[in-house]
Amino acid sequence: MGRKVTVAVSTLNQWALDFEGNLARILQSILEAKEKGASYRSGPELEVCGYSCEDHFRESDTFLHSWEVFLEIIMSPLCENMLIDVGMPVMHRNVAYNCRVIFLNRKILLIRPKMAMCDTDQYRESRWFTAWTKAFQTEDYFLPRMISQHTGQDVVPFGDAVIATKDTCIGYEICEELWVIKSKHIDMSLSGVEIMVNGSASYMEIRKSHELKNLIVTASFKAGGAYLYSNVRGCDGQRMYFQGCSAIAVNGEIVARGKQFSLQDVEVTVATIDLEEIRSYRVSQRSRCLMSASAPSYPRIICDFEMSTHNDIFKIASTPIQWPTHSPEEEIAMGPACWLWDYLRRSGQGGFFLPLSGGVDSSSSATIIHSMCRLIVQAVQAGDAQVLHDVRKILADQEYTPTNPAALCNRLLVTCFMGSVNSSKETRQRASLLANQLGSYHIEINIDSAINALLGIFISVTGVTPRFRSQRGCARQNLALQNIQSRIRMVLAYLFAQLMLWVRNRPGGLLVLGSANVDESLRGYFTKYDCSSADINPIGGLSKTDLWKFLNYAKDQFNLPILESIIDAPPTAELEPLQDGQLIQTDEQDMGMTYAELNTYGRLRKQSCCGPYSMFCELVATWKSDLSPAEVADKVKHFFRCYAINRHKMTVLTPAVHAECYSPDDNRFDHRPFLYRANWSWQFKAIDNEVEKLQPFYTPCSTNMRPSSEDLLLSHGDTTQRTSHTDSKHSSPLSSPSIDVPGASTAAPLTTTTITSALVGTGGGSLGSLPKKSSGYAKVHVNVLGKIKDRTGIPV
């Protein structure tokens, strides 16, 4: 009897509800697997209909069309003499299940439903599917008539069973079942399953790919056997970039792996497995044998098929390989770029339009497009006919073949510097030089006449003229004058995006790109409906500190020397008048916090699930060498006030490729209210009580009482060595909330000291000395209600 089998896992770039395209890619993967000598082929989760159909899974059409596609697959001559499983939704007894359907030679062997739903982070599977809970059991599934008349089967097994061929045994997990505490592969291995198969849809987050590797390796190491993992890759209609990395592991070692980032629609990864190595590995573990002897048995579906051959002695089993790991900078360069390519080619548009300010954020968006162009050129040079076809279709030029990334960038990306009287010549120059080095089609416009026209309307109606703060205007006037600049840029961006291809004698329009990073979204440091309002945002899921590192990487990797000066430039919105031609406005000063602090707040809020009090307790210990408990309290309160009054902006946040684990995206990832009690009165009182207890024990350890971005980055283990600021925005800064304190600046952040001084008149006395109600709720906070102001100065 033979003992070596060749198996294949498939990485497919599927698209939700693209039944025709999904069918073609599935058949292509089966053909490639057969050509590589595989006797078994597996594919990713819900590959027939696409993973991200979401509420379309509540429509009967989705199930009908999935069965129609399945019929095309099972009847295809390509599938003969190969054991195959595909992922699709199946309705059984009026319940929707996420399933693997296993078939051989036009006969369905088993429909295996998913037994653990994923409802964490981006996933909402229980909204559409139900977990199969009947372990080690199957039921009769009555096939649709369209299937029965071709297969000759009326019913097939549905449930938790395994496939027994003449030479081995195969069992199934689906995505989340690998991640759960009690994974099914343990029970399957104890029941004699030698090949465990997982069809998955796992998305990219930077610094996450090692988790997948560890799970696959650990599963095959602990249970023994072969683990086959197929994953989706690309943008299938949602914010996620599915990361591929389909892999095969044997006895705790990776023997084959697909690419993580690629423009390739179909990638088939094969390995040859020696079944006797699995058996030797397992029998040598005596404790495992004892457990296996008493383990419950799975229902076995007998399959009259040999996966190995009798003359396989000359076959060589696949040997262990290293799992390649990308740096975060490489993940940023490739992940969003691949996602943008899928979005562009499937949107029917002709390229991108980007307002380019000359700062880190917009420069990062532009550089990611350049990275996309590099990937396209590489794919075409490698002979990828689909990529070449898509490029020619987008550009409406059937003779064009991309050979140079900069030349391709000139066709796909239009950048525009939208200057005003408040713009410095340095940012204009940086934007121009970057566009030149990237190769984008660059234009420069002046927006002052449009701004003056709108202000003229306001002045003629009201009879008053708003002024900037530096011209003795109040905070509300200052903010309104900044926001009108930002919103004019949004209007102009869409005008130019719709007409620039017409100007260049090409059909179609351009997608408007945004450039608000995840930290500024969290803080609300952008104007609603300004340049942050776009069609898609390449960097909306990336932190400022990671963008800084990415540009350092791209500067050398892509030969873009201008990025050096962009990184070193101070971050500024350039929305207030210059003084003697020099900037007086900086982002971190406007925000009242550093980008490093924002990064810390974001991770604690989302990953650690910290409210104001919990965050204060965490940071008192983390920052104890630099800040007193009272100062930590002020910083935490300031963040949560800003977060609360700006949370509404998340309801209109531009769709962005999900890349950071603390994204505040209201639409899918961060289900929290958008209307808050901005003074957090009860929570802040809890912080004040803790400060009162801690203050007598606090001894300053450092003269640096206000850490810089670099200090805080280094304190959290960041290896970045630069201290320069990293952005120049086309979006509006937000005034810090304040209380009515006579003579105090309206932009001053609210602190424990100012509250006490204003309301108690003690000049900074302890809040702990104030009388308390029987409930423990200090009267001072009742008095604060209605005195905290939002960014327009209106009490909240």
Side-chain angles (χ1 to χ4, degrees), residues 560-575:
L560 302 171
I562 185 58
L563 292 179
E564 182 74 36
S565 62
I566 291 173
I567 293 167
D568 291 336
T572 174
E574 289 196 334
L575 295 170

Side-chain angles (χ1 to χ4, degrees), residues 98-151:
N98 177 348
C99 297
R100 306 302 302 177
V101 181
I102 303 95
F103 66 93
L104 171 70
N105 291 335
R106 298 184 173 88
K107 299 290 182 182
I108 297 174
L109 302 177
L110 171 68
I111 301 177
R112 202 285 196 175
K114 192 171 184 177
M115 300 184 70
M117 297 292 103
C118 185
D119 293 307
T120 57
D121 299 333
Q122 296 275 13
Y123 296 107
R124 302 286 182 273
E125 288 182 353
S126 293
R127 180 178 174 87
W128 310 295
F129 298 111
T130 301
W132 179 260
T133 57
K134 302 173 184 177
F136 306 100
Q137 296 181 44
T138 63
E139 297 175 350
D140 286 341
Y141 178 79
F142 289 83
L143 290 170
R145 283 173 291 180
M146 74 174 84
I147 305 297
S148 296
Q149 65 185 16
H150 287 88
T151 65

Side-chain angles (χ1 to χ4, degrees), residues 8 34 125 168 217 252 287 764:
K34 181 169 286 189
E125 288 182 353
T168 189
V217 167
S287 59

